[in-house]
Amino acid sequence: GYTDLRRGIDGLASTIKYQFELDPFQKNILFLFCGKRTDRIKGLVWEGDGFLLLYKRLNVGGFSWPRTKEEAMEVTPKQYRMLMQGLEIVARRPIEELTDPPKTM
Protein backbone atom coordinates (compact mmCIF):
# COMPACT_ATOMS: atom_id res chain seq x y z
CA GLY A 1 0.00 0.00 0.00
CA TYR A 2 1.25 3.38 0.95
CA THR A 3 2.49 5.05 4.10
CA ASP A 4 1.54 8.45 5.47
CA LEU A 5 4.87 10.21 5.00
CA ARG A 6 4.01 12.74 7.70
CA ARG A 7 5.04 9.98 10.11
CA GLY A 8 8.36 10.41 11.80
CA ILE A 9 10.83 7.94 13.23
CA ASP A 10 8.53 6.54 15.92
CA GLY A 11 5.57 6.14 13.57
CA LEU A 12 7.63 4.38 10.91
CA ALA A 13 9.31 2.12 13.49
CA SER A 14 5.84 1.22 14.78
CA THR A 15 4.72 0.34 11.24
CA ILE A 16 7.74 -1.92 10.81
CA LYS A 17 7.09 -3.69 14.11
CA TYR A 18 3.30 -4.07 14.11
CA GLN A 19 2.21 -4.03 10.46
CA PHE A 20 5.09 -6.01 8.97
CA GLU A 21 6.07 -7.89 12.15
CA LEU A 22 9.76 -7.08 11.69
CA ASP A 23 12.32 -5.70 14.12
CA PRO A 24 13.08 -2.04 13.35
CA PHE A 25 16.22 -2.30 15.51
CA GLN A 26 18.05 -4.59 13.06
CA LYS A 27 21.34 -2.80 12.57
CA ASN A 28 22.12 -1.41 9.11
CA ILE A 29 18.82 -2.59 7.56
CA LEU A 30 17.15 0.13 5.50
CA PHE A 31 13.34 0.10 5.55
CA LEU A 32 11.75 2.11 2.72
CA PHE A 33 8.30 3.69 2.64
CA CYS A 34 6.39 5.41 -0.16
CA GLY A 35 3.33 7.63 0.07
CA LYS A 36 0.34 7.96 -2.24
CA ARG A 37 2.42 10.26 -4.40
CA THR A 38 5.13 7.97 -5.73
CA ASP A 39 7.60 10.83 -6.18
CA ARG A 40 8.52 10.75 -2.46
CA ILE A 41 10.17 8.08 -0.40
CA LYS A 42 11.34 7.79 3.24
CA GLY A 43 13.90 5.44 4.66
CA LEU A 44 14.56 4.40 8.24
CA VAL A 45 17.68 2.63 9.46
CA TRP A 46 18.89 1.76 12.96
CA GLU A 47 22.61 2.52 13.26
CA GLY A 48 23.11 0.98 16.70
CA ASP A 49 23.02 4.26 18.61
CA GLY A 50 19.93 5.80 17.01
CA PHE A 51 17.73 5.93 13.93
CA LEU A 52 18.63 7.68 10.71
CA LEU A 53 15.63 9.06 8.78
CA LEU A 54 16.09 9.61 5.05
CA TYR A 55 13.79 11.45 2.63
CA LYS A 56 13.97 11.74 -1.15
CA ARG A 57 11.65 13.64 -3.47
CA LEU A 58 11.97 13.30 -7.23
CA ASN A 59 11.51 16.39 -9.39
CA VAL A 60 10.34 14.32 -12.36
CA GLY A 61 8.78 10.83 -12.42
CA GLY A 62 8.05 8.45 -9.60
CA PHE A 63 9.19 5.30 -7.91
CA SER A 64 7.88 1.89 -9.03
CA TRP A 65 6.39 0.78 -5.73
CA PRO A 66 4.45 -2.30 -4.53
CA ARG A 67 0.90 -1.47 -3.48
CA THR A 68 0.01 -4.51 -1.35
CA LYS A 69 1.58 -6.05 1.73
CA GLU A 70 2.12 -9.24 -0.28
CA GLU A 71 4.18 -7.30 -2.84
CA ALA A 72 6.55 -5.96 -0.15
CA MET A 73 10.00 -7.44 -0.62
CA GLU A 74 13.61 -7.47 0.40
CA VAL A 75 15.79 -5.83 -2.24
CA THR A 76 19.44 -6.25 -3.08
CA PRO A 77 21.85 -3.29 -3.17
CA LYS A 78 21.67 -3.43 -6.99
CA GLN A 79 17.85 -3.34 -6.92
CA TYR A 80 17.99 -0.41 -4.48
CA ARG A 81 20.19 1.56 -6.89
CA MET A 82 17.78 0.75 -9.73
CA LEU A 83 14.83 1.91 -7.59
CA MET A 84 16.58 5.19 -6.77
CA GLN A 85 17.10 5.73 -10.52
CA GLY A 86 13.37 5.33 -11.13
CA LEU A 87 13.68 1.90 -12.74
CA GLU A 88 11.37 -1.03 -12.09
CA ILE A 89 13.04 -3.73 -10.03
CA VAL A 90 10.40 -6.33 -10.86
CA ALA A 91 9.34 -6.73 -14.47
CA ARG A 92 5.60 -6.43 -15.10
CA ARG A 93 5.72 -9.22 -17.67
CA PRO A 94 8.90 -11.20 -17.04
CA ILE A 95 10.19 -13.51 -19.73
CA GLU A 96 9.36 -17.06 -18.73
CA GLU A 97 11.15 -20.24 -19.67
CA LEU A 98 9.05 -22.58 -21.81
CA THR A 99 8.35 -25.94 -20.22
CA ASP A 100 7.39 -27.53 -23.56
CA PRO A 101 9.41 -26.43 -26.58
CA PRO A 102 7.31 -25.16 -29.50
CA LYS A 103 6.53 -27.67 -32.22
CA THR A 104 8.30 -27.05 -35.50
CA MET A 105 6.37 -26.98 -38.70
Side-chain angles (χ1 to χ4, degrees), residues 46 65 75:
W46 174 253
W65 200 257
V75 297

Side-chain angles (χ1 to χ4, degrees), residues 24-31 44-48:
F25 295 97
Q26 295 177 69
K27 193 172 179 185
N28 298 320
I29 301 294
L30 175 62
F31 294 95
L44 186 66
V45 63
W46 174 253
E47 294 188 317

Side-chain angles (χ1 to χ4, degrees), residues 39-100:
D39 65 339
R40 299 148 199 256
I41 197 168
K42 271 191 176 179
L44 186 66
V45 63
W46 174 253
E47 294 188 317
D49 60 351
F51 281 105
L52 174 63
L53 181 65
L54 305 162
Y55 183 79
K56 182 169 184 170
R57 183 182 72 200
L58 300 175
N59 286 329
V60 178
F63 295 101
S64 174
W65 200 257
R67 288 297 172 193
T68 66
K69 185 176 179 181
E70 292 73 35
E71 291 178 352
M73 69 176 84
E74 183 175 332
V75 297
T76 65
K78 181 180 178 181
Q79 289 172 317
Y80 169 77
R81 287 189 297 278
M82 290 172 60
L83 180 67
M84 291 298 113
Q85 293 173 355
L87 302 173
E88 290 186 16
I89 58 174
V90 176
R92 290 182 189 185
R93 291 186 222 147
I95 297 171
E96 296 179 13
E97 184 177 335
L98 296 174
T99 55
D100 294 324

